[in-house]
Amino acid sequence: MEKSKAMKRDSIATARLLSEALPNIQRHDGAIIVIKLGGHAMSSPEAMKSFARDMVMLRQCNIKPVIVHGGGPMINSMLEKLEIPTEFVNGKRVSTPETVDVVEMVLSGKVNKSIVSAINGQGGRAVGLSGKDANLLVCEQAAGDLGMVGDPVAVNAKVVFSLIESGFIPVIAPLGTGKNGETFNVNGDTAAGAIAGGLKANRLLLLTDVSGVKDADGDVLTNLSAEQVSDLTEKGVISGGMIPKTQTALDAINDGVRAVVIMDGRMANACLLELFTDYGAGSMIRA
């Protein structure tokens, strides 16, 4: 009897939460949400299953997710197996032609298709592609001694729009093509920001393994303007690995994205928490 009462209380609480989520669901009706997937959300089959279920729920609510994924640990593992040395400069992988071949194999193959399979397994309709398909991401070689690392200079958003409008969830590997047909390795955050800008997305969610942008006292700043981000960077409050993420956010906003959230992907149902509740899950940056 006590178990039955507890289940009833849980069911009532669930119904109340769904009812309270309605205004947020309505606010995002028809919205394109680009999500950079990486870190904890890709760390286990359970985490991937939970993420996939959330993406299907978003699509069911007429929210249009576009997923751009990373895969650094998987790339490292394959390079070790093949005994190909890896070099990093300022935290970025030096991509020799041999390394790029492995990166493309891992990202466009195993990682991309595992995400697609997870979403389809939850009743969704996911389609995998890379930035090379239909010249989605046209790149130039990045500055520095990084080899075949690319910076996006053009985005062919038509291919993504066509998938979205056909009811699919695009899952994109961060690779790009050069003007002469070269293959470029593209940073996952950078690729997500460029694609979000090309789509003029309503929101870009950067799933990370940190709780968000923090102030000098270590507290998470939940709402920031682009000007505040620049000021905090100049003062050294935003530093280290957070700088490229906030720069991606600023670039995306300059390209027409309405808001960027640097959020904690370690939290269960982080995307639903951010979009469907007033609590949020990280730091929102607006123009």
Side-chain angles (χ1 to χ4, degrees), residues 160-175:
V160 182
F161 277 127
S162 66
L163 289 170
I164 292 172
E165 295 309 314
S166 297
F168 295 105
I169 299 175
V171 180
I172 304 169
L175 297 160

Side-chain angles (χ1 to χ4, degrees), residues 36-37 68-72 75 88-93 95 103 107 137 139-140 142 146 148-152 172-176 184-195 206 241 243-249 251:
K36 163 58 192 345
L37 174 63
V68 181
H69 64 83
I75 294 170
F88 289 87
V89 174
N90 295 326
K92 294 184 178 181
R93 187 190 307 276
S95 297
V103 169
L107 292 182
L137 283 179
C139 298
E140 291 180 350
L146 297 172
M148 300 303 291
V149 172
D151 286 332
I172 304 169
L175 297 160
F184 284 109
N185 181 16
V186 184
N187 174 271
D189 289 344
T190 302
I195 291 168
L206 298 176
I243 292 178
K245 293 186 183 301
T246 53
Q247 187 58 53
T248 292
D251 291 342

Side-chain angles (χ1 to χ4, degrees), residues 199-231:
L199 294 170
K200 307 301 180 190
N202 297 73
R203 196 162 293 183
L204 167 61
L205 307 182
L206 298 176
L207 271 61
T208 70
D209 287 340
V210 295
S211 51
V213 180
K214 298 180 180 180
D215 62 17
D217 296 322
D219 296 322
V220 175
L221 299 168
T222 55
N223 285 285
L224 290 162
S225 67
E227 291 77 10
Q228 287 174 311
V229 170
S230 298
D231 184 57

